[in-house]
Amino acid sequence: MKLSIVDMAVIQPGDHPGQTLQHSVKLAQKAEFLGYERIWFSEHHANHIVSRAPEVMIAAVAAKTSKIRVGSGSVLLNHYSAYKVAETFCTLNELYPGRIDLGIGRATTGQVIDLALQQDRSRGFLANSDEQLNELMHWMENSFSLEVAFSNIPIHTIASRPEIHLSGTSSWSSTNAGRLGLRYIHAAFFNPDVTRLVIDNYRANFAPSDSIIGLREPEARLGIHVVCADTEEEALIQLASVELAYHYLRTRQYNFLLPAPNEAIKILGYLPRIQPYIKGTGVPPRYIAGTFEQVAECFYYLSKDLNIDEFVIQDMMTDQEARLHSYELLSALL
């Protein structure tokens, strides 16, 4: 089984953002030592998260590691120039060939942030995700037809390309990943109920690709929240900050910093419960928490039911030592 990490760089209680980013570097080094496949950095624009520019973190972390793959999970393509994204990630791949992943997603981040990210503010936000994704593929392949002006400015880069992964929570991402012969990751921590549907959709729509950036066979990955500890009670204590974050998001409270686990329990008024995986459903819990044996059993049945051989773990924990210990425990699955 392969395990990877997507790091949101959640601000730890008492830390400033620079310290949080240094925690991310240390996590990447630890993950490399333990044998994790890759570490990705999210693009989020929220007060409690410092991972807002994944391409910057990729460069910093790749310079401090030597083997682990490093990438974005994900660049929000709907806000940016496909050309600029292609140039940025090809440059990263030139610096660290064979280690860079370009994870692509799309998302709205609220009216104000969407406007702040938008270069042309003379008109409303325009969702043209299909066009942008197709354009990005052409840039990465240097495959514009001659009648297209962009064919005159190919991206001059090395023979290899970053690995491209399309991530999301809906049939749009799974359909397009299949259509283009790309790797697909379903972010089950956002929308677990459709997990089986979209992964089956990806495989049903998969078209083998001979492109330099495509695949001959489908590769589906599952993104999940995981907290692992020596005891079930300790795992649930560490899960409290995650539960509180989702409580804030559900109630449309976006301007927050997450507290330490015990303080999160006080605010919630309860200790979170384990959400069991119901075997055979293919619907993962929003959070997987418990001892190594409990988490390993859940991974085993999810892998079996969904034919998944790589999990991408997100945690949002606010106790750095407990966080590192969680990944140490999970590494026994590798």
Side-chain angles (χ1 to χ4, degrees), residues 166 170-179 184 198-199 201-202 205:
L166 191 56
S170 70
S171 60
W172 180 86
S173 51
S174 61
T175 297
N176 279 285
R179 174 178 66 85
Y184 174 63
V198 295
I199 288 178
N201 182 61
Y202 166 64
N205 283 281

Side-chain angles (χ1 to χ4, degrees), residues 115-279:
L115 182 65
L117 290 169
Q118 190 173 333
Q119 189 274 329
D120 179 6
R121 296 171 185 169
S122 64
R123 55 191 176 86
F125 179 76
L126 176 65
N128 57 348
S129 299
D130 290 327
E131 180 182 338
Q132 284 182 298
L133 181 58
N134 288 333
E135 183 181 322
L136 178 65
M137 297 304 102
H138 284 305
W139 286 120
M140 298 299 290
E141 298 168 333
N142 283 328
S143 61
F144 286 106
S145 59
L146 294 178
E147 63 269 18
V148 177
F150 291 161
S151 65
N152 295 318
I153 49 169
I155 293 178
H156 299 286
T157 188
I158 60 178
S160 71
R161 298 290 191 276
E163 276 193 8
I164 298 182
H165 304 248
L166 191 56
S167 67
T169 61
S170 70
S171 60
W172 180 86
S173 51
S174 61
T175 297
N176 279 285
R179 174 178 66 85
L180 296 167
L182 299 176
R183 299 160 185 86
Y184 174 63
I185 171 172
H186 174 61
F189 36 76
F190 288 129
N191 196 358
D193 293 343
V194 301
T195 299
R196 169 159 268 162
L197 177 67
V198 295
I199 288 178
D200 287 349
N201 182 61
Y202 166 64
R203 293 195 174 105
N205 283 281
F206 186 83
S209 171
D210 291 321
S211 162
I212 191 172
I213 58 173
L215 301 171
R216 296 301 301 168
E217 299 289 338
E219 291 184 16
R221 295 174 173 85
L222 190 64
I224 48 177
H225 262 305
V226 182
V227 176
C228 190
D230 293 324
T231 67
E232 180 179 319
E233 182 181 14
E234 177 62 20
L236 295 177
I237 290 170
Q238 296 299 329
L239 183 62
S241 300
V242 183
E243 174 96 343
L244 182 61
Y246 277 94
H247 167 74
Y248 285 146
L249 294 172
R250 282 194 303 270
T251 54
R252 299 183 181 276
Q253 300 176 63
Y254 303 117
N255 187 16
F256 62 86
L257 293 175
L258 288 175
N262 287 326
E263 182 62 25
I265 293 169
K266 291 179 183 178
I267 296 170
L268 288 169
Y270 61 86
L271 184 68
R273 299 177 181 176
I274 284 183
Q275 302 175 5
Y277 172 58
I278 301 173
K279 300 171 190 176

Side-chain angles (χ1 to χ4, degrees), residues 25 31 35-36 97 101 117 159 168-169 212 315:
V25 174
Y36 281 76
D101 292 341
L117 290 169
T169 61
I212 191 172
D315 64 82

